[in-house]
Amino acid sequence: MGFAVAGRFRSGDGGLMEDWLLQLPTPCYVVDERKLIKNLEILKSVSERSGCRILLAQKAFAMHSLYSLISRYLCGTAASGLFEARLGAEMFGGETHAYSPAYKDEDMDELTRICGHIIFNSFDQWRRFKERALDAGCSCGLRLNPECSTQDHAIYDPCAPKSRLGTTLENFEPDALEGLTGFHMHTLCEQNADALSVTLQAAEEKFGVYIHGMKWLNLGGGHHITREDYDVELLISELIRMKNKYNAQIYIEPGEAVALNTGYLVASVLDIVHNDTDIAILDTSAACHMPDVIEMPYRPKIIGAAKPGEKPHTYRLGGPTCLAGDIIGDYAFEQSLSIGDKLVFCDMAHYTMVKNNTFNGMPLPSIMLHTSSGQNKLVREFGYEDFKARLS
């Protein structure tokens, strides 16, 4: 691959960066519409072959300027609260489902007006809002916790010990099921279909007798369906099996899989300093623009870069904030970096725009779309007024 340097193109590890990436301002997020459509076609195929209904999990990707496109492939949106529910209903249409660990009383009337499906985290929440939700005509569900961990990222594991997410078998109340028409489970994070199979086995052992009679079952998100090595055939077989066994409509609500590998974050080198190692300070920030780099943590891929020592010139990349830990990672390049060089971070469409912030007064990156016709389209740019408006 390669990277842009002060407006010129340098060959990196033998590949070529597409020229349109070099034309972008920095910092900016950009989504490649062609790659998004490719993902959506995969998801639509899963839906058609399995009979499941697929919702966009807005917590991962909420670029609503693309909702008219995405709605041609998916049946609706999944929301984590009132604002996401409103966004989905207003901009996407179709079905609107909501789940929250706890709802506020003052939000419930609007939520039940917007949402066709309301999912409760506990029987106490169900009892508190049951009458209002049913009177509004909502199909109501309960989130289950099968207590089956299949991942190593505790921060993203809903089945971790002492988790607040979902009702465990110990706290299950069979006598309180009247009025509920579905169950919800979300246990995965960036995982393959084998993890779903393990989860379903645990869930059926604990809750299978109660799933019978429910009209729908939502298997949540975390399914990395559009990843190259994902076992789509196993997923489809499991979805069909659950549908047939329980005579229920099956839902899944991927977010990351919708936008996986469709976006980039383009940044520029502002300065280079040396403190035991060469350090490049960029106009983007891990803390502000890609917080999962610090939270998860993980090391994002950069076009043309390699691991430290694998190429001649190694740099630590950091942001311009005052946070000492605002470090993206250590990367090696074929040629030395210079002020003004552009770096392109990969897979930056999901859990970035929805989580970024203006700490230190950091400007938010612009949002761009690279259209199917090959044009770079500015969707939104941000300035001082956006920073000011978030404060009092």
Side-chain angles (χ1 to χ4, degrees), residues 3-4 44 71 93 220 229 290 302 307 318 351 391:
F3 56 95
K44 184 176 182 179
S71 65
D229 67 342
M290 38 183 150
I302 298 175
K307 293 179 180 179
Y351 289 111
L391 305 172

Side-chain angles (χ1 to χ4, degrees), residues 31-48 54-57 61 63 65-76 92 225-227 252 254-262 369 372:
V31 171
D32 187 333
E33 188 176 40
R34 296 166 298 184
K35 293 183 178 181
L36 177 63
I37 291 172
K38 181 180 178 182
N39 283 355
L40 293 171
E41 288 174 343
I42 294 171
L43 295 172
K44 184 176 182 179
S45 173
V46 169
S47 177
E48 292 175 344
I54 302 183
L55 307 168
L56 167 66
F61 184 67
M63 190 172 167
S65 60
L66 291 171
Y67 279 11
S68 62
L69 169 63
I70 301 172
S71 65
R72 301 174 201 166
Y73 298 85
L74 309 185
C75 74
F92 195 104
I225 302 167
T226 53
R227 195 173 75 199
I252 56 175
E256 188 164 325
V258 174
L260 186 68
N261 294 319
T262 67
L369 177 68
S372 295

Side-chain angles (χ1 to χ4, degrees), residues 104-136:
K104 297 177 67 174
D105 183 82
E106 56 264 37
D107 290 347
M108 189 52 60
D109 286 343
E110 189 171 4
L111 271 170
T112 56
R113 178 178 59 81
I114 292 172
C115 300
H117 292 68
I118 300 282
I119 299 156
F120 297 95
N121 191 62
S122 68
F123 280 102
D124 284 344
Q125 282 267 298
W126 165 231
R127 277 187 287 268
R128 182 179 180 188
F129 297 116
K130 174 180 179 179
E131 184 176 342
R132 291 161 71 180
L134 293 178
D135 286 348

Side-chain angles (χ1 to χ4, degrees), residues 10-28:
R10 287 186 182 175
S11 177
D13 53 10
L16 291 176
M17 181 191 298
E18 296 182 75
D19 289 342
W20 63 267
L21 283 167
L22 310 183
Q23 303 167 12
L24 298 172
T26 66
C28 82

Side-chain angles (χ1 to χ4, degrees), residues 28-342:
C28 82
Y29 304 112
V30 58
V31 171
D32 187 333
E33 188 176 40
R34 296 166 298 184
K35 293 183 178 181
L36 177 63
I37 291 172
K38 181 180 178 182
N39 283 355
L40 293 171
E41 288 174 343
I42 294 171
L43 295 172
K44 184 176 182 179
S45 173
V46 169
S47 177
E48 292 175 344
R49 292 177 59 196
S50 69
C52 82
R53 298 179 69 80
I54 302 183
L55 307 168
L56 167 66
Q58 296 178 99
K59 61 187 175 184
F61 184 67
M63 190 172 167
H64 56 80
S65 60
L66 291 171
Y67 279 11
S68 62
L69 169 63
I70 301 172
S71 65
R72 301 174 201 166
Y73 298 85
L74 309 185
C75 74
T77 55
S80 301
L82 177 58
F83 288 175
E84 281 189 359
R86 286 185 58 180
L87 184 66
E90 293 172 6
M91 304 299 295
F92 195 104
E95 298 186 35
T96 305
H97 295 223
Y99 160 78
S100 175
Y103 295 107
K104 297 177 67 174
D105 183 82
E106 56 264 37
D107 290 347
M108 189 52 60
D109 286 343
E110 189 171 4
L111 271 170
T112 56
R113 178 178 59 81
I114 292 172
C115 300
H117 292 68
I118 300 282
I119 299 156
F120 297 95
N121 191 62
S122 68
F123 280 102
D124 284 344
Q125 282 267 298
W126 165 231
R127 277 187 287 268
R128 182 179 180 188
F129 297 116
K130 174 180 179 179
E131 184 176 342
R132 291 161 71 180
L134 293 178
D135 286 348
C138 296
S139 180
C140 297
L142 180 77
R143 178 167 177 171
L144 306 176
N145 180 351
E147 300 174 274
C148 177
S149 294
T150 57
Q151 56 174 293
D152 298 325
H153 303 297
I155 190 174
Y156 298 122
D157 185 1
C159 293
K162 302 181 181 180
S163 172
R164 73 191 188 285
L165 303 175
T167 298
T168 62
L169 183 60
E170 180 182 358
N171 293 290
F172 196 80
E173 301 178 30
D175 294 338
L177 293 176
E178 184 179 357
L180 290 171
T181 52
F183 288 135
H184 179 281
M185 288 181 288
H186 179 99
T187 67
L188 308 180
C189 176
E190 299 183 347
Q191 287 172 277
N192 214 313
D194 57 340
L196 174 63
S197 296
V198 172
T199 295
L200 289 178
Q201 180 179 349
E204 289 183 89
E205 288 175 357
K206 293 183 177 182
F207 300 106
V209 65
Y210 306 114
I211 299 175
H212 283 291
M214 290 292 163
K215 294 182 179 180
W216 54 267
L217 178 63
N218 187 325
L219 301 180
H223 317 276
H224 240 199
I225 302 167
T226 53
R227 195 173 75 199
E228 190 170 321
D229 67 342
Y230 188 87
D231 192 344
V232 172
E233 297 306 317
L234 177 58
L235 170 68
I236 291 174
S237 68
E238 287 286 12
L239 296 175
I240 292 173
R241 182 183 69 81
M242 295 296 288
K243 176 184 177 182
N244 292 339
K245 180 176 181 178
Y246 296 101
N247 192 28
Q249 175 63 61
I250 307 299
Y251 288 92
I252 56 175
E253 47 186 50
E256 188 164 325
V258 174
L260 186 68
N261 294 319
T262 67
Y264 306 90
L265 174 57
V266 187
S268 294
V269 177
L270 300 180
D271 197 12
I272 298 174
V273 298
H274 186 87
N275 184 359
D276 193 46
T277 187
D278 288 327
I279 304 167
I281 302 173
L282 310 182
D283 62 357
T284 192
S285 161
C288 298
H289 301 158
M290 38 183 150
D292 272 5
V293 168
I294 295 176
E295 289 180 14
M296 196 167 196
Y298 83 104
R299 179 181 180 276
K301 178 182 176 182
I302 298 175
I303 293 178
K307 293 179 180 179
E310 292 183 354
K311 290 178 182 284
H313 303 278
T314 295
Y315 295 83
R316 174 158 294 181
L317 305 181
T321 71
C322 69
L323 178 66
D326 190 2
I327 300 299
I328 301 164
D330 295 347
Y331 296 82
F333 299 88
E334 195 66 42
Q335 300 175 356
S336 60
L337 295 179
S338 300
I339 294 171
D341 290 359
K342 287 183 178 179

